[in-house]
Amino acid sequence: MKTMKNISKILFVIDLIICLPLYGYLCLTSFDPVTGFFASANTLTTIFYGVLLIIPLLMIFISTKLQRNLSFSISNSKILAVLSFLLGGAIILNGVYHLLNFLPIVQNGGAMFSTMLIAGLQIPVAAVSGFVFLRLGVGYLRENIANRTSASFVFPVIWALIACIETFQNYPQIAGMPEHTLYLLCLLSFTLFLIGQSRILSNIQFSKGVYWVNAFGLCTALFGLTMSCGEIVAFSKMSLPIFDAVFVFILALYCLAFSINTYVEE
């Protein structure tokens, strides 16, 4: 019997109700587009960061340690198919974007070895990862995941890890930059969500995969939707590229649609 007693989902809704309007208000009144920081620290920013971090930690703890009898079944395969196609295309475009920016730097000899290594890895891995999601979208449409035993699910995990490293490398003061902090948190949660998704789709440690998807999929959706809300409200002030904002929105919707399929069975 399915019930709605999924505590992590309840916490997700509570956090979303608090963070979306609060972050939107802070972006309108306190965000400095030149530096990427909030112009001043006040009670509202403290509340925002506190709620944004404490409740997701509770969601992760409850989902992975306390919540029992979590199950999974896909009930929205058509929605997942559309979002999977969009996400796969966005990841491939991300690789193309990096390639176009990487070639002039290499030609001019102005790139550090670490930067060249990360970019050189990300471009081919992005192409393969995007193809994995495109193929997964076909599987959702047919309601048959053809490559369940494939090792290809590891490529999106590697791509997400590289993206996290690159983001942190590009913004060493990222802890004080709300947009980039949310972007990084979204990518980190997405990386762990992908590990859970690969376990579910490959039917390896299925139950553990369900717990990880429930925890980190909801966290990814929370960080991504919160960031998207701020980008929409303060569009003229945004410091992130438009592509990154759209990409995070698609990523958040995909994780939310996938995580909704977790439920408590009694």
Side-chain angles (χ1 to χ4, degrees), residues 36 40 54-55 93 128 135 141 143 161 165 173 198 229 234 244:
S40 60
I54 291 172
I55 293 185
L93 287 175
V128 177
R135 187 178 180 186
L141 281 178
E143 298 186 352
L161 278 172
I165 294 170
Q173 293 181 308
S198 66
C229 173
D244 288 345

Side-chain angles (χ1 to χ4, degrees), residues 1 25 106 115 120 131 147 170 178 199 214 240 242 254:
M1 179 179 69
Y25 174 78
V106 173
T115 304
F131 178 76
N147 55 340
N170 290 340
R199 285 172 172 166
N214 190 61
L240 273 176
I242 295 177
Y254 176 83

Side-chain angles (χ1 to χ4, degrees), residues 62-103:
I62 290 170
S63 293
T64 57
K65 301 297 182 183
L66 299 183
Q67 191 84 66
R68 293 291 179 266
N69 302 322
L70 277 176
S71 297
F72 180 89
S73 64
I74 293 177
S75 58
N76 52 351
S77 59
K78 299 298 186 292
I79 296 173
L80 278 170
V82 173
L83 291 172
S84 188
F85 287 137
L86 290 172
L87 185 55
I91 292 174
I92 292 172
L93 287 175
N94 183 272
V96 173
Y97 172 79
H98 276 81
L99 179 62
L100 293 175
N101 285 280
F102 179 63
L103 289 177

Side-chain angles (χ1 to χ4, degrees), residues 25-41:
Y25 174 78
L26 289 171
C27 284
L28 277 176
T29 59
S30 302
F31 184 71
D32 184 352
V34 177
T35 62
F37 291 78
F38 283 135
S40 60

Side-chain angles (χ1 to χ4, degrees), residues 19 106 146 192:
C19 287
V106 173
L192 297 170

Side-chain angles (χ1 to χ4, degrees), residues 17-246:
I17 291 172
I18 297 172
C19 287
L20 257 65
L22 185 54
Y23 183 60
Y25 174 78
L26 289 171
C27 284
L28 277 176
T29 59
S30 302
F31 184 71
D32 184 352
V34 177
T35 62
F37 291 78
F38 283 135
S40 60
N42 52 42
T43 305
L44 288 180
T45 57
T46 303
I47 292 173
F48 170 70
Y49 281 124
V51 172
L52 185 72
L53 294 176
I54 291 172
I55 293 185
L57 288 175
L58 283 174
M59 288 163 53
I60 294 169
F61 179 73
I62 290 170
S63 293
T64 57
K65 301 297 182 183
L66 299 183
Q67 191 84 66
R68 293 291 179 266
N69 302 322
L70 277 176
S71 297
F72 180 89
S73 64
I74 293 177
S75 58
N76 52 351
S77 59
K78 299 298 186 292
I79 296 173
L80 278 170
V82 173
L83 291 172
S84 188
F85 287 137
L86 290 172
L87 185 55
I91 292 174
I92 292 172
L93 287 175
N94 183 272
V96 173
Y97 172 79
H98 276 81
L99 179 62
L100 293 175
N101 285 280
F102 179 63
L103 289 177
I105 297 174
V106 173
Q107 290 171 355
N108 295 329
M112 295 176 61
F113 175 76
S114 59
T115 304
M116 292 177 62
L117 179 63
I118 291 172
L121 284 172
Q122 189 182 53
I123 292 165
V125 173
V128 177
S129 300
F131 178 76
V132 169
F133 275 102
L134 293 177
R135 187 178 180 186
L136 194 55
V138 175
Y140 289 137
L141 281 178
R142 295 178 176 176
E143 298 186 352
N144 178 29
I145 309 301
N147 55 340
R148 291 182 69 87
T149 58
S150 172
S152 61
F153 291 119
V154 74
F155 284 97
V157 178
I158 296 172
W159 174 85
L161 278 172
I162 293 172
C164 290
I165 294 170
E166 185 182 45
T167 302
F168 189 79
Q169 185 182 55
N170 290 340
Y171 302 97
Q173 293 181 308
I174 197 168
M177 306 172 75
E179 283 181 314
H180 297 285
T181 298
L182 286 168
Y183 186 72
L184 179 61
L185 289 173
C186 189
L187 286 175
L188 286 170
S189 301
F190 182 58
T191 305
L192 297 170
F193 160 82
L194 287 173
I195 296 174
Q197 176 186 260
S198 66
R199 285 172 172 166
I200 290 173
L201 297 181
S202 301
N203 201 21
I204 300 172
Q205 294 183 314
F206 186 91
S207 59
K208 190 172 184 179
V210 174
Y211 291 123
W212 279 49
V213 161
N214 190 61
F216 297 107
L218 292 175
C219 285
T220 305
L222 173 66
F223 297 135
L225 293 176
T226 301
M227 197 198 85
S228 300
C229 173
E231 300 303 292
I232 293 170
V233 170
F235 181 77
S236 61
K237 295 182 178 181
M238 63 185 289
S239 60
L240 273 176
I242 295 177
F243 175 83
D244 288 345
V246 174

